């Protein structure tokens, strides 16, 4: 790639042994090897309360503004989404709700879609089950499209997470590596052309 694309990679989980955090680590390594300028974001590093309009009226939390800045600064993202009850996590929805909420009177953040508009987003999931969390991706796609993101057609749900990783965190099989790498490549390809 001629100009390194700033790529944001994160998981919709803060659990220490999260399979999706492990997948995000593998993705970040792949993307960096492809020449991307990769930022690995950990949602646990941000103090973000449950979204509440009354709380917001008292002032948008500083860590929400930090997330807005980080999301906006990266033209491409890859999200690794766990599946809870057939959909994405409450943590991920809460993060998106806060980041997409406009800050009244703030010239930088008066538009809720500013951190999302035109971002190229690749979606991945993994779970211990045979479907790999694919239902979370089918719910997450329209949410992101509603916020004006360009969601890549290529997505992948990695099944049987307990067997899918080597001890060093890399993907154990060539088939899984190729499938995940395909999403990474499509995100970087599209972001390069949309830049």
């Amino acid at each position: 790639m001629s100009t390194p694309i700033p790529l944001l990679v994160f998981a919709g989980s803060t659990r220490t042994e999260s399979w999706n955090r492990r997948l995000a680590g593998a993705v970040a390594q792949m993307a960096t090897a492809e020449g991307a300028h990769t930022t690995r974001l950990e949602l646990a590093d941000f103090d973000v309360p449950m979204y509440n309009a009354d709380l917001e009226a008292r002032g948008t939390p500083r860590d929400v503004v930090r997330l807005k800045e980080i999301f906006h600064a990266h033209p491409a993202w890859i999200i690794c989404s766990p599946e809870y009850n057939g959909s994405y996590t409450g943590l991920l929805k809460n993060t998106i709700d806060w980041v997409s909420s406009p800050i009244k009177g703030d010239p930088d953040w008066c538009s809720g879609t500013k951190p999302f508009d035109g971002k190229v987003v690749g979606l991945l999931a993994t779970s211990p089950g045979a479907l790999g969390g694919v239902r979370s991706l089918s719910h997450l796609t329209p949410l992101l499209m509603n916020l004006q993101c360009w969601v890549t057609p290529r997505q992948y749900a990695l099944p049987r997470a307990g067997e899918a990783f080597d001890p060093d965190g890399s993907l154990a099989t060539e088939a899984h590596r190729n499938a995940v790498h395909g999403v990474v490549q499509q995100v970087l390809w599209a972001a390069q052309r949309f830049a």
Side-chain angles (χ1 to χ4, degrees), residues 54-76:
D54 292 336
L55 176 62
E56 183 181 33
R58 296 196 292 270
T60 299
R62 175 60 198 147
D63 275 3
V64 170
V65 177
R66 286 178 58 215
L67 282 169
K68 286 176 179 284
E69 292 166 349
I70 292 167
F71 279 35
H72 180 64
H74 293 81

Side-chain angles (χ1 to χ4, degrees), residues 131-169:
L131 297 179
V134 69
R135 293 174 297 179
S136 72
L137 305 185
S138 68
H139 290 189
L140 191 52
T141 297
L143 172 66
L144 292 167
M145 291 177 68
N146 185 63
L147 289 166
Q148 309 303 311
C149 294
W150 192 88
V151 181
T152 59
R154 183 170 290 173
Q155 302 178 0
Y156 186 61
L158 175 69
R160 298 180 178 86
E163 307 162 15
F165 297 91
D166 285 331
D168 67 357

Side-chain angles (χ1 to χ4, degrees), residues 15-187:
R15 188 172 64 86
T16 303
E17 298 299 322
S18 163
W19 296 116
N20 282 277
R21 288 183 62 237
R22 193 171 298 188
L23 180 57
V27 166
Q29 288 185 340
M30 283 184 189
T32 300
E34 285 287 326
H37 182 70
T38 308
T39 300
R40 173 87 184 278
L41 181 73
E42 291 285 1
L43 293 179
D45 294 339
F46 297 83
D47 184 15
V48 177
M50 288 299 295
Y51 180 79
N52 178 306
D54 292 336
L55 176 62
E56 183 181 33
R58 296 196 292 270
T60 299
R62 175 60 198 147
D63 275 3
V64 170
V65 177
R66 286 178 58 215
L67 282 169
K68 286 176 179 284
E69 292 166 349
I70 292 167
F71 279 35
H72 180 64
H74 293 81
W77 312 341
I78 295 177
I79 303 173
C80 299
S81 176
E83 182 181 288
Y84 288 7
N85 296 314
S87 191
Y88 47 82
T89 62
L91 169 69
L92 188 51
K93 181 65 162 64
N94 189 60
T95 300
I96 290 170
D97 287 347
W98 269 114
V99 173
S100 65
S101 185
I103 302 176
K104 294 178 179 66
D106 186 317
D108 290 327
W109 304 114
C110 59
S111 168
T113 59
K114 180 179 175 179
F116 297 87
D117 193 10
K119 304 303 181 183
V120 175
V121 183
L123 297 180
L124 295 164
T126 190
S127 80
L131 297 179
V134 69
R135 293 174 297 179
S136 72
L137 305 185
S138 68
H139 290 189
L140 191 52
T141 297
L143 172 66
L144 292 167
M145 291 177 68
N146 185 63
L147 289 166
Q148 309 303 311
C149 294
W150 192 88
V151 181
T152 59
R154 183 170 290 173
Q155 302 178 0
Y156 186 61
L158 175 69
R160 298 180 178 86
E163 307 162 15
F165 297 91
D166 285 331
D168 67 357
S170 60
L171 293 167
T173 71
E174 184 177 3
H176 292 331
R177 286 192 296 272
N178 289 342
V180 171
H181 192 231
V183 176
V184 171
Q185 286 183 312
Q186 191 168 73
V187 167

